[in-house]
Amino acid sequence: MGKRISRASSDTVWLAVLLMPALLLPVALILMPALCTFVNGCMQDVTFMPRRWAGLANYARLVQDPALFHSLRFTLLFIAVSVPLELACGLLLALLMQVQSPLRGMLRALVLIPWAIPAAIAGRVWELIYSYNWGPANYLVKLTGAPAVNWLGSSTGAFLAIVIADLWKTVPFVAIILLAGLSAIPEHLYRQAEVDGASFIRRFVAITLPLLRPVMIVAILFRTIDALRIFDLIYILTSGGPGGATSSLSLLGYTYFVGGDFGYGSAISTLIFLIALLVALLVVRIGRFGSSMR
Amino acid sequence: MNRYVPEFLLMFICAVAGIIAAGCSKKEASVVFAVGGAPAEIDFWEKTIQRFEEQSGIPVELLRQPTDTDQRRQNLVTALRASRSTPDLFLMDVAWIAQFAASEWLEPLAPFLEGSPLSINVFFEPVIRTAATYNGTLLALPVYVDAGLLYYRKDLLEKYGFAKPPELWDELVAMAHTIIRGESQEGNELTGFVWQGAQYEGLVCTFLEFAGSNGGGITIADSLPIVATDRNRSALAFMHGLVHSEKISPVNTGTDMKEEEVRFSFQKGAALFERNWPYAYSLHQADDSPVKGKTGIAVLPRFVGGTSAATLGGWHIGLSRFSRQKERAFALIAYLLSYEVQKASALEAGWNPGRTDIYGDSTIMERLPHLVTLHDVFSHAVSRPNVPWYSYLSSVLQRWLNAALTGTVPVDEALNKCEKELRVIVERYSTRKQH
């Protein structure tokens, strides 16, 4: 009896030892920085003021900051508009890439280009496209005889311009992930359905969508968290303008880091982290709920 | 396998020791000087540094920074916050000196000046007083100064019988309308007045000029409004009107117009008036420029009852408090601000020296006669608020000024909301609560 216990406990020790590297990595790379950022958010950490403990003062300030409220609203709206669009376009593109045709290989390679271009460069390219005087977008508008449009000049215009640039950049990523999911669906399911007389739409709704669900969850998760942190594209395209209409949370946090208030900047970062965590838990929960229903 | 372990260990130790030794010897040997990004700027520094090395025997290493002003600051903030001993010297935009000063990153320069041939009296007095000094301590010296200027098309003004550039903003508007109408009858499309209106620091600078020339500005005092005053309101309404009612400034003023967009527009001959920093002058007058010989400069116009205002810009040199070789680093400062180097910077790099005596130099007067106008402009320059938390004021201002300018929020509402947010910033960071 005693022997069995000691064996079991030595197994546990071994288990712990073997798991250690895998556990240490997330602790060192994710948990520690997040905790440090949270603690730093509890400091009055301003380069030009004495450093001292400030408790939750920075977090209390978050609640009253109209600029933060504005940025939060913009960021959430951006997620709500861009992620579903990315998913829809990505799915369409993935289905296209799966069609057997001589161009398939080329299409798959070409699609990846926008994803491979650094966001900062993509931002510059789109800045040129939207340029009032020299941009191809206005060139096309002028061809129809209409007056040039100042694309980034209104809140709605700038918002849509960023969504479109972001779509161009990230749809390929979603498409590639979904394509992997599509390839994993056994071919015989479709053939059986075909024998049973199921139409294309019926096959798509009854086989493709449900089996693609886990992969879609992954894509939604990645994209939502990425969209939550959006910075580079906006920094270059509008720097948050016009009139702060496109100031994302990350952009706001950045201004505080540059200006020397690391405490408040950390508080904003912690907020972004918490929202990301919440979104991740929510998406994963909804995903599981769906699969257990079947 | 195990046989090789000692060898690997030895190699590793040697490599680490080598890296540390290389790092140490380098730090001891050269003065590290961080400068900004445009290629022409770097070329000038490299040449100058080489001459200094030959004369003094002190090796200098140039640390090249990005061109973007915010990124340059972020770069320095990271190093200084970590109390790094390098860079020893760096260039600072006037707008950040107070932040660096209050963070205690800058070495006071007065003690070094005492034993040096360099005198504080050669520099522009308002620049030293309002920008280089913080709480009565001299912490920086101007390498080159900038201030907003009016550029105008001499040829077009003459063609329509205007003998002088406009002195009042209303005159500018009237001239623009006359000339645009006349030119469009001849089939030439022309924009009246281009200036910096995008949501960035440049917008705060232009606002200070419009507001300042109307007797307004930014006030940081307990009982007074910071920006929500009648004078500022009418100045901002005028700015909005230039784009939306007078329509002499382009529709994309509030979105695209930064220094270079403004300069391109004027330089290709598409604009009648331009507000820009002095750097644009030599580019407008370059051989390949369509407006070569047609460009005039003047102080910016004013409103009736106001006086012309030009926002002070430019770059100062600072000595890091964490430097381990301050004496040698200051020797480089003294060299860079010497008469010869400052004169060369005007002639070779097109900069406006921080020293006033250069403006009376015979070669300069002959080759760069426009510097005489600039000398007047710099003597009347207005500073941005000299507070460590200026960048937070600025980011709030940028947002609301741009909202008013683009018309997403009415002028009155924008200034009132701006005032409220600024008040929060002032209360959070103002010095009374610091110690």
Side-chain angles (χ1 to χ4, degrees):
Chain A
M1 187 76 183
K3 216 172 178 183
R4 264 165 83 189
I5 289 174
S6 77
R7 189 150 156 216
S9 68
S10 87
D11 276 357
T12 323
V13 170
W14 261 112
L15 206 67
V17 169
L18 291 176
L19 275 176
M20 199 60 92
L23 283 175
L24 270 179
L25 221 58
V27 165
L29 296 179
I30 301 167
L31 202 61
M32 282 294 287
L35 272 179
C36 287
T37 309
F38 171 74
V39 171
N40 209 41
C42 297
M43 304 289 291
Q44 170 174 294
D45 185 7
V46 186
T47 59
F48 49 83
M49 290 164 103
R51 194 177 147 93
R52 61 173 170 77
W53 184 256
L56 293 176
N58 282 321
Y59 295 97
R61 188 177 157 200
L62 283 177
V63 185
Q64 304 156 349
D65 189 345
L68 183 103
F69 175 74
H70 197 85
S71 292
L72 185 64
R73 202 180 56 177
F74 165 77
T75 310
L76 294 181
L77 196 66
F78 176 74
I79 295 174
V81 174
S82 68
V83 174
L85 278 175
E86 280 162 14
L87 205 65
C89 299
L91 184 58
L92 207 68
L93 197 60
L95 289 171
L96 263 178
M97 285 196 287
Q98 221 203 3
V99 173
Q100 290 284 353
S101 88
L103 294 175
R104 188 163 89 155
M106 209 170 72
L107 181 67
R108 286 186 176 186
L110 276 180
V111 151
L112 269 181
I113 291 177
W115 175 248
I117 292 176
I121 294 172
R124 283 274 177 248
V125 171
W126 281 95
E127 189 186 19
L128 280 175
I129 291 175
Y130 294 133
S131 162
Y132 180 74
N133 290 319
W134 306 289
N138 266 339
Y139 176 78
L140 293 178
V141 169
K142 282 186 211 160
L143 276 188
T144 68
V149 181
N150 190 21
W151 302 101
L152 303 175
S154 67
S155 311
T156 326
F159 181 83
L160 291 178
I162 289 169
V163 168
I164 290 169
D166 186 65
L167 277 182
W168 176 81
K169 176 97 183 68
T170 55
V171 161
F173 171 74
V174 177
I176 293 293
I177 289 192
L178 295 184
L179 183 63
L182 283 177
S183 319
I185 299 175
E187 193 63 31
H188 67 86
L189 288 180
Y190 289 108
R191 258 181 268 133
Q192 282 165 1
E194 222 168 330
V195 170
D196 291 340
S199 68
F200 175 78
I201 293 175
R202 181 96 184 94
R203 271 177 283 154
F204 179 74
V205 175
I207 301 174
T208 313
L209 276 187
L211 289 183
L212 211 50
R213 192 180 215 126
V215 183
M216 276 169 132
I217 300 287
V218 172
I220 293 176
L221 197 60
F222 269 107
R223 283 310 312 147
T224 310
I225 291 172
D226 251 7
L228 186 66
R229 303 176 302 147
I230 186 162
F231 174 80
D232 28 21
L233 200 60
I234 294 180
Y235 181 71
I236 287 169
L237 261 185
T238 63
S239 356
T246 58
S247 166
S248 70
L249 282 174
S250 304
L251 206 64
L252 187 73
Y254 172 78
T255 55
Y256 279 96
F257 281 112
V258 172
D261 191 341
F262 290 81
Y264 193 52
S266 297
I268 296 175
S269 302
T270 304
L271 179 72
I272 298 175
F273 172 78
L274 287 179
I275 298 174
L277 194 67
L278 197 74
V279 166
L281 289 175
L282 210 69
V283 171
V284 169
R285 171 60 63 87
I286 291 170
R288 279 213 192 117
F289 180 67
S291 52
S292 67
M293 286 283 283
R294 266 183 286 115
Chain B
M1 247 295 264
N2 280 346
R3 280 185 12 221
Y4 294 107
V5 168
E7 276 93 334
F8 276 126
L9 211 64
L10 196 67
M11 275 167 64
F12 180 72
I13 291 169
C14 287
V16 169
I19 291 167
I20 291 172
C24 290
S25 63
K26 213 169 157 192
K27 262 181 209 160
E28 251 172 33
S30 46
V31 172
V32 178
F33 177 30
V35 295
E41 207 166 316
I42 301 286
D43 285 349
F44 176 76
W45 287 123
E46 272 174 354
K47 256 197 315 194
T48 311
I49 294 308
Q50 209 181 348
R51 268 178 264 153
F52 173 74
E53 284 177 326
E54 283 161 13
Q55 280 182 23
S56 66
I58 300 174
V60 180
E61 188 191 329
L62 275 189
L63 187 68
R64 188 175 177 161
Q65 291 194 292
T67 317
D68 182 87
T69 304
D70 257 355
Q71 284 171 22
R72 282 171 82 163
R73 174 164 61 161
Q74 193 196 354
N75 236 286
L76 291 173
V77 167
T78 309
L80 290 166
R81 199 173 120 81
S83 310
R84 289 260 322 249
S85 60
T86 57
D88 301 279
L89 294 176
F90 39 81
L91 292 182
M92 295 174 287
D93 187 284
V94 281
W96 347 312
I97 297 177
Q99 183 199 342
F100 281 36
S103 304
E104 296 178 356
W105 290 336
L106 300 174
E107 184 71 20
L109 295 179
F112 293 95
L113 275 171
E114 270 168 27
S116 131
L118 196 63
S119 157
I120 192 75
N121 300 324
V122 298
F123 299 101
F124 281 101
E125 191 273 330
V127 177
I128 294 291
R129 179 166 40 84
T130 63
T133 306
Y134 184 77
N135 276 353
T137 313
L138 181 73
L139 295 165
L141 286 168
V143 174
Y144 57 97
V145 282
D146 263 343
L149 276 182
L150 182 73
Y151 292 80
Y152 62 95
R153 285 283 298 276
K154 268 195 294 199
D155 56 328
L156 287 174
L157 257 60
E158 265 167 41
K159 182 174 166 186
Y160 290 86
F162 298 111
K164 280 192 306 180
E167 280 173 23
L168 295 173
W169 288 115
D170 286 341
E171 285 174 17
L172 179 139
V173 173
M175 282 184 194
H177 280 308
T178 312
I179 297 176
I180 290 171
R181 207 179 311 121
E183 287 298 295
S184 79
Q185 276 163 12
E186 292 177 24
N188 299 328
E189 215 181 299
L190 193 70
T191 300
F193 180 31
V194 287
W195 43 280
Q196 292 80 11
Q199 187 185 324
Y200 82 121
E201 184 61 32
L203 173 58
V204 181
C205 297
T206 45
F207 170 72
L208 277 177
E209 288 161 355
F210 282 105
S213 64
N214 197 30
I218 301 170
T219 315
I220 296 163
D222 267 343
S223 51
L224 298 171
I226 305 167
V227 285
T229 64
D230 289 342
R231 290 180 183 281
N232 288 344
R233 212 165 284 138
S234 65
L236 186 56
F238 179 80
M239 291 165 78
H240 175 268
L242 287 175
V243 180
H244 299 278
S245 53
E246 301 290 349
K247 295 185 196 293
I248 63 167
S249 293
V251 189
N252 59 339
T253 298
T255 47
D256 300 350
M257 287 300 179
K258 298 188 180 182
E259 281 84 5
E260 281 295 86
E261 286 76 8
V262 166
R263 180 176 75 79
F264 283 141
S265 175
F266 187 87
Q267 191 153 327
K268 70 176 185 183
L272 176 63
F273 295 110
E274 172 195 16
R275 182 273 172 203
N276 215 333
W277 305 97
Y279 84 100
Y281 187 75
S282 55
L283 296 163
H284 289 335
Q285 297 289 55
D287 284 334
D288 59 349
S289 160
V291 291
K292 181 178 195 248
K294 302 173 183 169
T295 307
I297 54 170
V299 296
L300 285 164
R302 57 189 171 83
F303 289 98
V304 182
T307 51
S308 169
T311 302
L312 181 69
W315 290 78
H316 282 59
I317 194 165
L319 172 56
S320 166
R321 197 166 66 86
F322 309 110
S323 165
R324 295 208 194 104
Q325 35 184 350
K326 294 181 181 130
E327 292 291 340
R328 288 170 8 130
F330 188 81
L332 179 58
I333 295 187
Y335 177 75
L336 296 176
L337 299 177
S338 66
Y339 192 90
E340 293 71 34
V341 175
Q342 285 264 292
K343 183 175 162 185
S345 78
L347 292 170
E348 291 167 30
W351 294 338
N352 318 296
R355 288 176 72 119
T356 51
D357 48 359
I358 308 293
Y359 296 78
D361 185 275
S362 56
T363 325
I364 295 281
M365 293 201 357
E366 190 192 313
R367 288 190 36 203
L368 303 169
H370 71 284
L371 282 189
V372 179
T373 312
L374 289 182
H375 185 270
D376 291 347
V377 173
F378 298 146
S379 309
H380 298 105
V382 294
S383 282
R384 284 164 270 179
N386 197 20
V387 290
W389 28 276
Y390 170 72
S391 71
Y392 300 138
L393 284 187
S394 172
S395 72
V396 172
L397 281 165
Q398 286 170 34
R399 210 154 12 89
W400 289 111
L401 293 175
N402 187 258
L405 190 61
T406 49
T408 52
V409 178
V411 169
D412 276 7
E413 191 188 331
L415 272 188
N416 291 340
K417 285 192 169 161
C418 183
E419 176 76 26
K420 243 187 233 166
E421 272 188 52
L422 289 177
R423 190 56 70 190
V424 174
I425 301 268
V426 172
E427 266 162 32
R428 171 72 186 85
Y429 295 107
S430 80
T431 41
R432 276 175 299 125
K433 286 191 180 175
Q434 259 190 57
H435 295 292

